[in-house]
Amino acid sequence: SGLVGSEMCIRDSFMRILKNFPIKGKHTKSIITDLYFNKNNKQKPLVIFCHGYKGYKDWGAFDLMSSNFLKAGLALVKFNFSHNGCTLDQPIDFPDLDAFGNNNYTKELDDLESIIDWICTTVEFKNEIDTNNITLIGHSRGGAIAIIKAVENPKIKKLVTWAAVSDLDRTMFHESTELDKWKEDGVLYVLNGRTKQKMPHYLQFYYNFIKNKKRLCVENAVKKMSIPHLIIHGDNDLSVPFLHAQNLHKWNTLSKLIVVPESNHVFGASQPWTKTKLPEDFKFVVEKTIAFINSP
């Protein structure tokens, strides 16, 4: 199969972890992917995790998070959006700022579609992964991408959003002077607080959003939602205020909302995360998510 990974014997089953496997997408850059599953010849529900803005699959406690899903008997895929600025050689900083500047929402939706296609068509996984039981999880901006894809792709059976944005329009400038400057310069820079990099958004990001505004309307997608949706949000989230969770819940009254009291945007985690256990808030989020996935 050509898949590279590590296998560890645990009792009478195998824990299979494939790290940094490049998936070919619809755009010029590979989608760097991790896959976790117990190799026991039984089909397991699949979780696909989407990171957020200025995020990446190896951030903070995400590896530990993935192991918790694996221990619960689920299979999990996490991946870097192809244009998130990370590379295989430098997976946690942003060496490829040109790729970051050329990222946009429809590329992320295409990447997610490529991941779904890959997992559903790889013969090696057919006895291990139940591709008729896929749950999407999206954090922050990845939550909005997951919402749109969950409505577009009938393979998705459940949706979980963590600290998700309810409006992708919020990253656009509405002040005419700021938009004029973006158009004049051709690039808008955003400071990365951790790495201190000035991260570019080329003007294509704005035009891509305008061209696809109807498709990228999170409210419209949520109102079309016909699958179970769990919304989890900290009420002390300074990056994406709790109002976003309230909006999502209001637009789909069949959704379930869980508030994490006093919790922040990353549920107590940080980069790097060197402890062997998840922070309490993040552990709570993962436990509630697993219970939701396993519910009838």
Side-chain angles (χ1 to χ4, degrees), residues 11-12 49 69 103 119 141 153 159 168 173 245 257 286:
R11 298 192 185 93
D12 57 350
F49 175 75
F69 281 101
N103 194 21
I119 203 76
R141 188 171 99 179
N153 191 318
L159 171 70
L168 288 172
F173 283 117
L257 173 61
V286 169

Side-chain angles (χ1 to χ4, degrees), residues 52-65:
Y53 177 58
K54 292 187 286 188
Y56 43 93
K57 68 179 178 61
D58 297 311
W59 184 90
F62 285 167
D63 274 350
L64 202 52
M65 167 203 81

Side-chain angles (χ1 to χ4, degrees), residues 22-72:
I23 304 300
K24 184 174 172 56
K26 297 178 181 177
H27 302 281
T28 53
K29 297 189 176 293
S30 296
I31 306 161
I32 307 300
T33 306
D34 298 344
L35 171 62
Y36 294 68
F37 66 94
N38 292 314
K39 196 172 181 182
N40 56 11
N41 215 33
K42 293 177 184 173
Q43 288 191 329
K44 294 158 280 292
L46 175 67
V47 174
I48 300 176
F49 175 75
C50 308
H51 68 74
Y53 177 58
K54 292 187 286 188
Y56 43 93
K57 68 179 178 61
D58 297 311
W59 184 90
F62 285 167
D63 274 350
L64 202 52
M65 167 203 81
S66 303
S67 297
N68 277 257
F69 281 101
L70 191 150
K71 287 171 189 170

Side-chain angles (χ1 to χ4, degrees), residues 132-144:
N132 292 312
N133 188 356
I134 300 177
T135 297
L136 283 188
I137 300 177
H139 175 250
S140 195
R141 188 171 99 179

Side-chain angles (χ1 to χ4, degrees), residues 40-207:
N40 56 11
N41 215 33
K42 293 177 184 173
Q43 288 191 329
K44 294 158 280 292
L46 175 67
V47 174
I48 300 176
F49 175 75
C50 308
H51 68 74
Y53 177 58
K54 292 187 286 188
Y56 43 93
K57 68 179 178 61
D58 297 311
W59 184 90
F62 285 167
D63 274 350
L64 202 52
M65 167 203 81
S66 303
S67 297
N68 277 257
F69 281 101
L70 191 150
K71 287 171 189 170
L74 303 172
L76 181 135
V77 169
K78 61 183 173 72
F79 65 97
N80 284 341
F81 286 111
S82 62
H83 286 66
N84 78 330
C86 296
T87 64
L88 196 53
D89 295 331
Q90 290 176 264
I92 65 167
D93 295 320
F94 298 94
D96 195 348
L97 288 178
D98 188 60
F100 184 90
N102 280 300
N103 194 21
N104 57 50
Y105 298 135
T106 59
K107 278 180 182 167
E108 293 192 351
L109 286 164
D110 284 347
D111 289 345
L112 181 49
E113 188 72 19
S114 295
I115 288 289
I116 296 166
D117 288 345
W118 168 70
I119 203 76
C120 290
T121 56
T122 302
V123 175
E124 179 178 336
F125 305 142
K126 69 183 176 66
N127 294 326
E128 300 291 345
I129 294 171
D130 184 358
T131 53
N132 292 312
N133 188 356
I134 300 177
T135 297
L136 283 188
I137 300 177
H139 175 250
S140 195
R141 188 171 99 179
I145 296 299
I147 287 167
I148 295 165
K149 184 55 66 180
V151 170
E152 291 181 346
N153 191 318
K155 291 188 176 80
I156 309 307
K157 298 300 188 273
K158 288 185 179 181
L159 171 70
V160 183
T161 51
W162 296 347
V165 298
S166 63
D167 182 6
L168 288 172
D169 200 6
R170 80 189 199 119
T171 54
M172 298 298 157
F173 283 117
H174 298 286
E175 297 288 336
S176 58
T177 51
E178 292 173 317
L179 182 55
D180 286 346
K181 182 165 172 45
W182 195 1
K183 287 180 176 177
E184 184 183 336
D185 296 345
V187 61
L188 161 76
Y189 289 99
V190 175
L191 181 69
N192 185 315
R194 181 178 66 85
T195 66
K196 307 305 178 192
Q197 291 164 293
K198 286 170 64 180
M199 305 185 75
H201 288 288
Y202 300 135
L203 194 54
Q204 62 81 28
F205 185 81
Y206 170 78
Y207 286 127

Side-chain angles (χ1 to χ4, degrees), residues 219-230:
E219 180 179 352
N220 287 349
V222 173
K223 286 178 175 176
K224 292 177 189 171
M225 190 76 61
S226 59
I227 60 172
H229 179 193
L230 175 63

